[in-house]
Amino acid sequence: MVRMPDLTALRHSFGRLSDRLERGRDTLGAPDSTAFPSRLHDPAIAARLGSALAVTFTLCFVTGVVSHYMQEPPSWASWPSRPINLYRLNQGLHVLSGTASVPLLLAKLWTVYPQLFQRPALRSIGHGLERAFVLLLVGGATFQLATGLINIASFYPFGFSFRAEHFAVAFVTYGALLVHVAHKIHIARAQLATPLPREPSDRGLTRRGFLAVTGGASALLVVGSIGQTVGLPGGWARGLSPFATHLPDIGPQSLPVRTPAVTAGVAETAVDPAYRLVVTGAVEQERSLSLADLAALPQTTARLPIACVEGWSAVATWTGVALVDLLAYAGATAPTEVRVVSLQERGTYAQSIVRAPHVNDPLTLIATAVNGEPLHLDHGYPCRLIAPNRPGVMQTKWISRVEVVS
Ligand SMILES: Nc1nc2c(c(=O)[nH]1)N[C@H]1C(S)=C(S)[C@@H](COP(=O)(O)O)O[C@H]1N2
Ligand SMILES: [Mo]
């Protein structure tokens, strides 16, 4: 037997809501305050939450654009290879500012939702335009935060390229935000200049209480994510982030894995004894190196982070042949662009381009070991690229070919 849920309570609250809407409908202009009696539907609160959102959205937009262009630099640009942790910091700020925005946005939408019932809905063309921009802003902001969170959860249910959509919608959203700010700045200024009253709490949450709870929720999410985004020493990170899935010390060799060897389809080719690393392209002498040949070249060790766009980063001690040394061994003269190709046959990350600053940085490694052990298969055995100030997606694993493009 399937028991029918008791719908009485639901019907009651629906009845109350339609009552309110009926009353709201009779009024002109602003929605009737008796229809939405909570003191929290207040422009003073909206202005404060709006200011906080303007800060977090600006930070998120700027770091997002930087991250996008670091992954896909236009042909005329190249990113510096130092400071080592720049991309890591940028990506951390992006994820943290986005995460902090979630409670702020929810609280702001709740504060202002009675505005949906303004009557008449359209007073003039200008008013209509203003409302259209607000619609764009709300839709865009919700889409951005939702897809961002889904990305952090390493979950790709949609049939579109996450980065392309997230990048395009960011401009629509931020543009709509600028229009909205321009429109509201006078009201917001006046609201911010007036301190919030101290109120008795006998009618539920006070205005100050509501802002404190919202700010507290944001702060808690940020503190709980720092351990895995920007990175904290293991014990700290774990203590502060009980639910994190990519803490710096979870995974083989105390390092998280993104795309294991089996998923990439390289579990067999990577352990084939006939494996050789081929150095080719604009070189004097094409080379084909076994792991023993690689070990016989000068070795470099460096502490470098992997900073994944999915909102985690981790530092490790990498050892291998510096790319400059490998290229010199093959007789490449003044190389400026190198393509690194993986044993992996398909997928966006199966190869990456290394531009001049990284080609010539002595810390750009073809690593064969991490934290004192030969690379685990899931970390890119037999060898992988690891370079300073570079997005995780471009730290190509299971390298089969190094091609000097120019
Ligand atoms: N060939 C290949 N290399 C790759 C990937 C991949 O899917 N295939 N993933 C990249 C991504 S997104 C990240 S964050 C890092 C993660 O390295 P790790 O799994 O050793 O932590 O590897 C990068 N290198
Ligand atoms: Mo990644």
PDB file of all heavy atoms in Angstrom, residues 90-125:
ATOM      1  N   ASN A  90      45.157  32.177  -7.585  1.00  0.00           N
ATOM      2  CA  ASN A  90      44.067  32.675  -8.419  1.00  0.00           C
ATOM      3  C   ASN A  90      42.878  31.712  -8.388  1.00  0.00           C
ATOM      4  O   ASN A  90      41.737  32.114  -8.182  1.00  0.00           O
ATOM      5  CB  ASN A  90      44.564  32.840  -9.859  1.00  0.00           C
ATOM      6  CG  ASN A  90      43.479  33.354 -10.780  1.00  0.00           C
ATOM      7  OD1 ASN A  90      43.226  34.540 -10.825  1.00  0.00           O
ATOM      8  ND2 ASN A  90      42.827  32.460 -11.499  1.00  0.00           N
ATOM      9  N   GLN A  91      43.171  30.420  -8.575  1.00  0.00           N
ATOM     10  CA  GLN A  91      42.105  29.428  -8.630  1.00  0.00           C
ATOM     11  C   GLN A  91      41.442  29.283  -7.262  1.00  0.00           C
ATOM     12  O   GLN A  91      40.233  29.149  -7.160  1.00  0.00           O
ATOM     13  CB  GLN A  91      42.670  28.092  -9.126  1.00  0.00           C
ATOM     14  CG  GLN A  91      41.618  27.121  -9.575  1.00  0.00           C
ATOM     15  CD  GLN A  91      40.736  27.699 -10.658  1.00  0.00           C
ATOM     16  OE1 GLN A  91      41.137  28.621 -11.365  1.00  0.00           O
ATOM     17  NE2 GLN A  91      39.524  27.199 -10.772  1.00  0.00           N
ATOM     18  N   GLY A  92      42.263  29.362  -6.197  1.00  0.00           N
ATOM     19  CA  GLY A  92      41.722  29.294  -4.847  1.00  0.00           C
ATOM     20  C   GLY A  92      40.753  30.444  -4.599  1.00  0.00           C
ATOM     21  O   GLY A  92      39.642  30.248  -4.110  1.00  0.00           O
ATOM     22  N   LEU A  93      41.155  31.660  -4.987  1.00  0.00           N
ATOM     23  CA  LEU A  93      40.288  32.824  -4.786  1.00  0.00           C
ATOM     24  C   LEU A  93      39.002  32.692  -5.600  1.00  0.00           C
ATOM     25  O   LEU A  93      37.924  33.079  -5.160  1.00  0.00           O
ATOM     26  CB  LEU A  93      41.021  34.107  -5.181  1.00  0.00           C
ATOM     27  CG  LEU A  93      42.113  34.568  -4.212  1.00  0.00           C
ATOM     28  CD1 LEU A  93      42.845  35.777  -4.768  1.00  0.00           C
ATOM     29  CD2 LEU A  93      41.490  34.895  -2.849  1.00  0.00           C
ATOM     30  N   HIS A  94      39.127  32.136  -6.798  1.00  0.00           N
ATOM     31  CA  HIS A  94      37.951  31.962  -7.656  1.00  0.00           C
ATOM     32  C   HIS A  94      36.930  31.044  -6.964  1.00  0.00           C
ATOM     33  O   HIS A  94      35.756  31.388  -6.829  1.00  0.00           O
ATOM     34  CB  HIS A  94      38.381  31.369  -8.997  1.00  0.00           C
ATOM     35  CG  HIS A  94      37.253  31.220  -9.967  1.00  0.00           C
ATOM     36  ND1 HIS A  94      36.591  32.301 -10.501  1.00  0.00           N
ATOM     37  CD2 HIS A  94      36.654  30.119 -10.485  1.00  0.00           C
ATOM     38  CE1 HIS A  94      35.638  31.866 -11.307  1.00  0.00           C
ATOM     39  NE2 HIS A  94      35.644  30.553 -11.311  1.00  0.00           N
ATOM     40  N   VAL A  95      37.399  29.907  -6.538  1.00  0.00           N
ATOM     41  CA  VAL A  95      36.496  28.931  -5.928  1.00  0.00           C
ATOM     42  C   VAL A  95      35.957  29.448  -4.591  1.00  0.00           C
ATOM     43  O   VAL A  95      34.775  29.309  -4.289  1.00  0.00           O
ATOM     44  CB  VAL A  95      37.231  27.578  -5.758  1.00  0.00           C
ATOM     45  CG1 VAL A  95      36.406  26.615  -4.928  1.00  0.00           C
ATOM     46  CG2 VAL A  95      37.529  26.973  -7.122  1.00  0.00           C
ATOM     47  N   LEU A  96      36.828  30.106  -3.809  1.00  0.00           N
ATOM     48  CA  LEU A  96      36.373  30.602  -2.500  1.00  0.00           C
ATOM     49  C   LEU A  96      35.360  31.737  -2.656  1.00  0.00           C
ATOM     50  O   LEU A  96      34.355  31.783  -1.944  1.00  0.00           O
ATOM     51  CB  LEU A  96      37.561  31.076  -1.660  1.00  0.00           C
ATOM     52  CG  LEU A  96      38.518  29.965  -1.174  1.00  0.00           C
ATOM     53  CD1 LEU A  96      39.686  30.568  -0.404  1.00  0.00           C
ATOM     54  CD2 LEU A  96      37.775  28.951  -0.309  1.00  0.00           C
ATOM     55  N   SER A  97      35.606  32.657  -3.602  1.00  0.00           N
ATOM     56  CA  SER A  97      34.652  33.772  -3.743  1.00  0.00           C
ATOM     57  C   SER A  97      33.321  33.261  -4.289  1.00  0.00           C
ATOM     58  O   SER A  97      32.257  33.756  -3.908  1.00  0.00           O
ATOM     59  CB  SER A  97      35.228  34.892  -4.615  1.00  0.00           C
ATOM     60  OG  SER A  97      35.680  34.382  -5.844  1.00  0.00           O
ATOM     61  N   GLY A  98      33.373  32.267  -5.173  1.00  0.00           N
ATOM     62  CA  GLY A  98      32.133  31.673  -5.676  1.00  0.00           C
ATOM     63  C   GLY A  98      31.369  30.971  -4.558  1.00  0.00           C
ATOM     64  O   GLY A  98      30.161  31.132  -4.410  1.00  0.00           O
ATOM     65  N   THR A  99      32.090  30.212  -3.766  1.00  0.00           N
ATOM     66  CA  THR A  99      31.463  29.482  -2.657  1.00  0.00           C
ATOM     67  C   THR A  99      30.840  30.455  -1.657  1.00  0.00           C
ATOM     68  O   THR A  99      29.707  30.267  -1.209  1.00  0.00           O
ATOM     69  CB  THR A  99      32.522  28.612  -1.942  1.00  0.00           C
ATOM     70  OG1 THR A  99      33.178  27.801  -2.925  1.00  0.00           O
ATOM     71  CG2 THR A  99      31.894  27.719  -0.913  1.00  0.00           C
ATOM     72  N   ALA A 100      31.575  31.523  -1.337  1.00  0.00           N
ATOM     73  CA  ALA A 100      31.073  32.503  -0.367  1.00  0.00           C
ATOM     74  C   ALA A 100      29.813  33.181  -0.898  1.00  0.00           C
ATOM     75  O   ALA A 100      28.957  33.628  -0.129  1.00  0.00           O
ATOM     76  CB  ALA A 100      32.151  33.547  -0.083  1.00  0.00           C
ATOM     77  N   SER A 101      29.674  33.270  -2.222  1.00  0.00           N
ATOM     78  CA  SER A 101      28.524  33.954  -2.808  1.00  0.00           C
ATOM     79  C   SER A 101      27.214  33.195  -2.621  1.00  0.00           C
ATOM     80  O   SER A 101      26.140  33.790  -2.688  1.00  0.00           O
ATOM     81  CB  SER A 101      28.741  34.159  -4.318  1.00  0.00           C
ATOM     82  OG  SER A 101      29.913  34.882  -4.556  1.00  0.00           O
ATOM     83  N   VAL A 102      27.300  31.874  -2.425  1.00  0.00           N
ATOM     84  CA  VAL A 102      26.070  31.066  -2.417  1.00  0.00           C
ATOM     85  C   VAL A 102      25.092  31.511  -1.316  1.00  0.00           C
ATOM     86  O   VAL A 102      23.951  31.873  -1.623  1.00  0.00           O
ATOM     87  CB  VAL A 102      26.393  29.552  -2.341  1.00  0.00           C
ATOM     88  CG1 VAL A 102      25.125  28.731  -2.190  1.00  0.00           C
ATOM     89  CG2 VAL A 102      27.161  29.125  -3.593  1.00  0.00           C
ATOM     90  N   PRO A 103      25.513  31.550  -0.042  1.00  0.00           N
ATOM     91  CA  PRO A 103      24.549  32.015   0.982  1.00  0.00           C
ATOM     92  C   PRO A 103      24.148  33.471   0.774  1.00  0.00           C
ATOM     93  O   PRO A 103      22.988  33.825   1.020  1.00  0.00           O
ATOM     94  CB  PRO A 103      25.303  31.868   2.307  1.00  0.00           C
ATOM     95  CG  PRO A 103      26.503  31.067   2.019  1.00  0.00           C
ATOM     96  CD  PRO A 103      26.796  31.149   0.559  1.00  0.00           C
ATOM     97  N   LEU A 104      25.097  34.298   0.303  1.00  0.00           N
ATOM     98  CA  LEU A 104      24.776  35.719   0.088  1.00  0.00           C
ATOM     99  C   LEU A 104      23.682  35.862  -0.962  1.00  0.00           C
ATOM    100  O   LEU A 104      22.732  36.627  -0.790  1.00  0.00           O
ATOM    101  CB  LEU A 104      26.029  36.482  -0.363  1.00  0.00           C
ATOM    102  CG  LEU A 104      27.195  36.533   0.627  1.00  0.00           C
ATOM    103  CD1 LEU A 104      28.405  37.204  -0.006  1.00  0.00           C
ATOM    104  CD2 LEU A 104      26.781  37.298   1.895  1.00  0.00           C
ATOM    105  N   LEU A 105      23.810  35.091  -2.057  1.00  0.00           N
ATOM    106  CA  LEU A 105      22.819  35.199  -3.125  1.00  0.00           C
ATOM    107  C   LEU A 105      21.455  34.681  -2.667  1.00  0.00           C
ATOM    108  O   LEU A 105      20.423  35.314  -2.915  1.00  0.00           O
ATOM    109  CB  LEU A 105      23.281  34.435  -4.377  1.00  0.00           C
ATOM    110  CG  LEU A 105      22.316  34.514  -5.554  1.00  0.00           C
ATOM    111  CD1 LEU A 105      22.246  35.940  -6.112  1.00  0.00           C
ATOM    112  CD2 LEU A 105      22.695  33.548  -6.670  1.00  0.00           C
ATOM    113  N   LEU A 106      21.452  33.545  -1.972  1.00  0.00           N
ATOM    114  CA  LEU A 106      20.171  33.001  -1.504  1.00  0.00           C
ATOM    115  C   LEU A 106      19.481  33.994  -0.577  1.00  0.00           C
ATOM    116  O   LEU A 106      18.277  34.248  -0.691  1.00  0.00           O
ATOM    117  CB  LEU A 106      20.402  31.664  -0.783  1.00  0.00           C
ATOM    118  CG  LEU A 106      20.880  30.507  -1.679  1.00  0.00           C
ATOM    119  CD1 LEU A 106      21.191  29.267  -0.841  1.00  0.00           C
ATOM    120  CD2 LEU A 106      19.823  30.179  -2.727  1.00  0.00           C
ATOM    121  N   ALA A 107      20.252  34.590   0.346  1.00  0.00           N
ATOM    122  CA  ALA A 107      19.668  35.534   1.296  1.00  0.00           C
ATOM    123  C   ALA A 107      19.146  36.767   0.573  1.00  0.00           C
ATOM    124  O   ALA A 107      18.062  37.277   0.855  1.00  0.00           O
ATOM    125  CB  ALA A 107      20.713  35.931   2.339  1.00  0.00           C
ATOM    126  N   LYS A 108      19.909  37.223  -0.418  1.00  0.00           N
ATOM    127  CA  LYS A 108      19.493  38.417  -1.155  1.00  0.00           C
ATOM    128  C   LYS A 108      18.215  38.138  -1.943  1.00  0.00           C
ATOM    129  O   LYS A 108      17.281  38.945  -1.953  1.00  0.00           O
ATOM    130  CB  LYS A 108      20.624  38.844  -2.099  1.00  0.00           C
ATOM    131  CG  LYS A 108      20.225  39.856  -3.127  1.00  0.00           C
ATOM    132  CD  LYS A 108      20.749  41.235  -2.849  1.00  0.00           C
ATOM    133  CE  LYS A 108      20.124  42.189  -3.824  1.00  0.00           C
ATOM    134  NZ  LYS A 108      20.756  43.435  -4.010  1.00  0.00           N
ATOM    135  N   LEU A 109      18.135  36.989  -2.586  1.00  0.00           N
ATOM    136  CA  LEU A 109      16.928  36.663  -3.354  1.00  0.00           C
ATOM    137  C   LEU A 109      15.721  36.603  -2.428  1.00  0.00           C
ATOM    138  O   LEU A 109      14.635  37.078  -2.761  1.00  0.00           O
ATOM    139  CB  LEU A 109      17.103  35.325  -4.087  1.00  0.00           C
ATOM    140  CG  LEU A 109      18.094  35.336  -5.244  1.00  0.00           C
ATOM    141  CD1 LEU A 109      18.197  33.945  -5.876  1.00  0.00           C
ATOM    142  CD2 LEU A 109      17.687  36.364  -6.302  1.00  0.00           C
ATOM    143  N   TRP A 110      15.914  36.039  -1.249  1.00  0.00           N
ATOM    144  CA  TRP A 110      14.788  35.946  -0.327  1.00  0.00           C
ATOM    145  C   TRP A 110      14.372  37.340   0.151  1.00  0.00           C
ATOM    146  O   TRP A 110      13.179  37.651   0.248  1.00  0.00           O
ATOM    147  CB  TRP A 110      15.134  35.051   0.864  1.00  0.00           C
ATOM    148  CG  TRP A 110      13.893  34.812   1.660  1.00  0.00           C
ATOM    149  CD1 TRP A 110      12.882  33.945   1.343  1.00  0.00           C
ATOM    150  CD2 TRP A 110      13.502  35.505   2.830  1.00  0.00           C
ATOM    151  NE1 TRP A 110      11.883  34.048   2.265  1.00  0.00           N
ATOM    152  CE2 TRP A 110      12.230  34.998   3.194  1.00  0.00           C
ATOM    153  CE3 TRP A 110      14.084  36.489   3.621  1.00  0.00           C
ATOM    154  CZ2 TRP A 110      11.539  35.443   4.308  1.00  0.00           C
ATOM    155  CZ3 TRP A 110      13.393  36.930   4.734  1.00  0.00           C
ATOM    156  CH2 TRP A 110      12.131  36.410   5.075  1.00  0.00           C
ATOM    157  N   THR A 111      15.359  38.195   0.391  1.00  0.00           N
ATOM    158  CA  THR A 111      15.045  39.542   0.862  1.00  0.00           C
ATOM    159  C   THR A 111      14.207  40.320  -0.150  1.00  0.00           C
ATOM    160  O   THR A 111      13.285  41.029   0.209  1.00  0.00           O
ATOM    161  CB  THR A 111      16.357  40.307   1.139  1.00  0.00           C
ATOM    162  OG1 THR A 111      17.095  39.586   2.112  1.00  0.00           O
ATOM    163  CG2 THR A 111      16.098  41.700   1.641  1.00  0.00           C
ATOM    164  N   VAL A 112      14.540  40.166  -1.431  1.00  0.00           N
ATOM    165  CA  VAL A 112      13.899  41.029  -2.435  1.00  0.00           C
ATOM    166  C   VAL A 112      12.766  40.350  -3.208  1.00  0.00           C
ATOM    167  O   VAL A 112      12.141  40.990  -4.046  1.00  0.00           O
ATOM    168  CB  VAL A 112      14.941  41.571  -3.447  1.00  0.00           C
ATOM    169  CG1 VAL A 112      16.011  42.381  -2.722  1.00  0.00           C
ATOM    170  CG2 VAL A 112      15.568  40.458  -4.261  1.00  0.00           C
ATOM    171  N   TYR A 113      12.485  39.064  -2.906  1.00  0.00           N
ATOM    172  CA  TYR A 113      11.524  38.387  -3.794  1.00  0.00           C
ATOM    173  C   TYR A 113      10.135  39.023  -3.833  1.00  0.00           C
ATOM    174  O   TYR A 113       9.448  38.923  -4.854  1.00  0.00           O
ATOM    175  CB  TYR A 113      11.479  36.875  -3.510  1.00  0.00           C
ATOM    176  CG  TYR A 113      10.445  36.414  -2.526  1.00  0.00           C
ATOM    177  CD1 TYR A 113       9.177  36.020  -2.972  1.00  0.00           C
ATOM    178  CD2 TYR A 113      10.705  36.376  -1.159  1.00  0.00           C
ATOM    179  CE1 TYR A 113       8.213  35.603  -2.066  1.00  0.00           C
ATOM    180  CE2 TYR A 113       9.741  35.964  -0.257  1.00  0.00           C
ATOM    181  CZ  TYR A 113       8.500  35.582  -0.709  1.00  0.00           C
ATOM    182  OH  TYR A 113       7.550  35.185   0.184  1.00  0.00           O
ATOM    183  N   PRO A 114       9.677  39.743  -2.766  1.00  0.00           N
ATOM    184  CA  PRO A 114       8.366  40.394  -2.912  1.00  0.00           C
ATOM    185  C   PRO A 114       8.308  41.352  -4.110  1.00  0.00           C
ATOM    186  O   PRO A 114       7.228  41.628  -4.637  1.00  0.00           O
ATOM    187  CB  PRO A 114       8.200  41.145  -1.587  1.00  0.00           C
ATOM    188  CG  PRO A 114       9.002  40.362  -0.607  1.00  0.00           C
ATOM    189  CD  PRO A 114      10.205  39.904  -1.386  1.00  0.00           C
ATOM    190  N   GLN A 115       9.468  41.833  -4.545  1.00  0.00           N
ATOM    191  CA  GLN A 115       9.477  42.732  -5.705  1.00  0.00           C
ATOM    192  C   GLN A 115       8.894  42.063  -6.951  1.00  0.00           C
ATOM    193  O   GLN A 115       8.458  42.736  -7.883  1.00  0.00           O
ATOM    194  CB  GLN A 115      10.910  43.191  -6.037  1.00  0.00           C
ATOM    195  CG  GLN A 115      11.619  43.910  -4.913  1.00  0.00           C
ATOM    196  CD  GLN A 115      10.956  45.232  -4.591  1.00  0.00           C
ATOM    197  OE1 GLN A 115      10.428  45.892  -5.486  1.00  0.00           O
ATOM    198  NE2 GLN A 115      10.965  45.603  -3.329  1.00  0.00           N
ATOM    199  N   LEU A 116       8.908  40.731  -6.947  1.00  0.00           N
ATOM    200  CA  LEU A 116       8.320  40.009  -8.086  1.00  0.00           C
ATOM    201  C   LEU A 116       6.851  40.370  -8.240  1.00  0.00           C
ATOM    202  O   LEU A 116       6.287  40.244  -9.318  1.00  0.00           O
ATOM    203  CB  LEU A 116       8.412  38.501  -7.848  1.00  0.00           C
ATOM    204  CG  LEU A 116       9.730  37.808  -8.145  1.00  0.00           C
ATOM    205  CD1 LEU A 116       9.646  36.359  -7.696  1.00  0.00           C
ATOM    206  CD2 LEU A 116      10.007  37.881  -9.641  1.00  0.00           C
ATOM    207  N   PHE A 117       6.216  40.784  -7.120  1.00  0.00           N
ATOM    208  CA  PHE A 117       4.776  41.028  -7.169  1.00  0.00           C
ATOM    209  C   PHE A 117       4.438  42.509  -7.265  1.00  0.00           C
ATOM    210  O   PHE A 117       3.328  42.912  -6.968  1.00  0.00           O
ATOM    211  CB  PHE A 117       4.117  40.369  -5.948  1.00  0.00           C
ATOM    212  CG  PHE A 117       4.489  38.928  -5.827  1.00  0.00           C
ATOM    213  CD1 PHE A 117       5.384  38.494  -4.864  1.00  0.00           C
ATOM    214  CD2 PHE A 117       3.985  38.003  -6.735  1.00  0.00           C
ATOM    215  CE1 PHE A 117       5.756  37.159  -4.784  1.00  0.00           C
ATOM    216  CE2 PHE A 117       4.356  36.673  -6.674  1.00  0.00           C
ATOM    217  CZ  PHE A 117       5.238  36.251  -5.688  1.00  0.00           C
ATOM    218  N   GLN A 118       5.403  43.300  -7.676  1.00  0.00           N
ATOM    219  CA  GLN A 118       5.121  44.712  -7.961  1.00  0.00           C
ATOM    220  C   GLN A 118       3.994  44.807  -8.984  1.00  0.00           C
ATOM    221  O   GLN A 118       3.996  44.066  -9.959  1.00  0.00           O
ATOM    222  CB  GLN A 118       6.328  45.370  -8.653  1.00  0.00           C
ATOM    223  CG  GLN A 118       7.460  45.792  -7.780  1.00  0.00           C
ATOM    224  CD  GLN A 118       8.565  46.394  -8.646  1.00  0.00           C
ATOM    225  OE1 GLN A 118       8.335  46.816  -9.785  1.00  0.00           O
ATOM    226  NE2 GLN A 118       9.755  46.407  -8.106  1.00  0.00           N
ATOM    227  N   ARG A 119       3.062  45.695  -8.752  1.00  0.00           N
ATOM    228  CA  ARG A 119       2.017  45.933  -9.750  1.00  0.00           C
ATOM    229  C   ARG A 119       1.881  47.416  -9.980  1.00  0.00           C
ATOM    230  O   ARG A 119       1.921  48.164  -9.011  1.00  0.00           O
ATOM    231  CB  ARG A 119       0.672  45.347  -9.301  1.00  0.00           C
ATOM    232  CG  ARG A 119       0.658  43.832  -9.244  1.00  0.00           C
ATOM    233  CD  ARG A 119       0.869  43.205 -10.624  1.00  0.00           C
ATOM    234  NE  ARG A 119       0.849  41.750 -10.555  1.00  0.00           N
ATOM    235  CZ  ARG A 119       1.910  40.969 -10.319  1.00  0.00           C
ATOM    236  NH1 ARG A 119       3.096  41.521 -10.142  1.00  0.00           N
ATOM    237  NH2 ARG A 119       1.809  39.663 -10.292  1.00  0.00           N
ATOM    238  N   PRO A 120       1.723  47.875 -11.208  1.00  0.00           N
ATOM    239  CA  PRO A 120       1.776  47.048 -12.417  1.00  0.00           C
ATOM    240  C   PRO A 120       3.183  46.516 -12.642  1.00  0.00           C
ATOM    241  O   PRO A 120       4.153  47.142 -12.244  1.00  0.00           O
ATOM    242  CB  PRO A 120       1.378  48.028 -13.531  1.00  0.00           C
ATOM    243  CG  PRO A 120       1.682  49.383 -12.984  1.00  0.00           C
ATOM    244  CD  PRO A 120       1.521  49.306 -11.504  1.00  0.00           C
ATOM    245  N   ALA A 121       3.241  45.362 -13.300  1.00  0.00           N
ATOM    246  CA  ALA A 121       4.532  44.713 -13.476  1.00  0.00           C
ATOM    247  C   ALA A 121       5.460  45.572 -14.334  1.00  0.00           C
ATOM    248  O   ALA A 121       6.668  45.566 -14.140  1.00  0.00           O
ATOM    249  CB  ALA A 121       4.328  43.345 -14.110  1.00  0.00           C
ATOM    250  N   LEU A 122       4.881  46.284 -15.271  1.00  0.00           N
ATOM    251  CA  LEU A 122       5.696  47.143 -16.139  1.00  0.00           C
ATOM    252  C   LEU A 122       5.129  48.553 -16.109  1.00  0.00           C
ATOM    253  O   LEU A 122       3.991  48.781 -16.513  1.00  0.00           O
ATOM    254  CB  LEU A 122       5.671  46.620 -17.578  1.00  0.00           C
ATOM    255  CG  LEU A 122       6.359  45.280 -17.790  1.00  0.00           C
ATOM    256  CD1 LEU A 122       6.249  44.866 -19.247  1.00  0.00           C
ATOM    257  CD2 LEU A 122       7.817  45.343 -17.360  1.00  0.00           C
ATOM    258  N   ARG A 123       5.929  49.484 -15.598  1.00  0.00           N
ATOM    259  CA  ARG A 123       5.442  50.856 -15.506  1.00  0.00           C
ATOM    260  C   ARG A 123       5.852  51.681 -16.704  1.00  0.00           C
ATOM    261  O   ARG A 123       5.199  52.620 -17.095  1.00  0.00           O
ATOM    262  CB  ARG A 123       5.951  51.515 -14.229  1.00  0.00           C
ATOM    263  CG  ARG A 123       4.979  51.365 -13.077  1.00  0.00           C
ATOM    264  CD  ARG A 123       5.566  51.959 -11.826  1.00  0.00           C
ATOM    265  NE  ARG A 123       6.192  50.926 -11.034  1.00  0.00           N
ATOM    266  CZ  ARG A 123       7.290  51.090 -10.318  1.00  0.00           C
ATOM    267  NH1 ARG A 123       7.905  52.247 -10.309  1.00  0.00           N
ATOM    268  NH2 ARG A 123       7.776  50.102  -9.630  1.00  0.00           N
ATOM    269  N   SER A 124       7.005  51.351 -17.276  1.00  0.00           N
ATOM    270  CA  SER A 124       7.515  52.111 -18.412  1.00  0.00           C
ATOM    271  C   SER A 124       8.539  51.236 -19.114  1.00  0.00           C
ATOM    272  O   SER A 124       8.884  50.157 -18.620  1.00  0.00           O
ATOM    273  CB  SER A 124       8.202  53.385 -17.910  1.00  0.00           C
ATOM    274  OG  SER A 124       9.305  53.006 -17.091  1.00  0.00           O
ATOM    275  N   ILE A 125       9.026  51.727 -20.250  1.00  0.00           N
ATOM    276  CA  ILE A 125      10.048  50.951 -20.963  1.00  0.00           C
ATOM    277  C   ILE A 125      11.299  50.807 -20.090  1.00  0.00           C
ATOM    278  O   ILE A 125      11.883  49.731 -19.971  1.00  0.00           O
ATOM    279  CB  ILE A 125      10.383  51.619 -22.303  1.00  0.00           C
ATOM    280  CG1 ILE A 125       9.152  51.532 -23.204  1.00  0.00           C
ATOM    281  CG2 ILE A 125      11.576  50.935 -22.961  1.00  0.00           C
ATOM    282  CD1 ILE A 125       9.347  52.121 -24.574  1.00  0.00           C
TER     283      ILE A 125
END
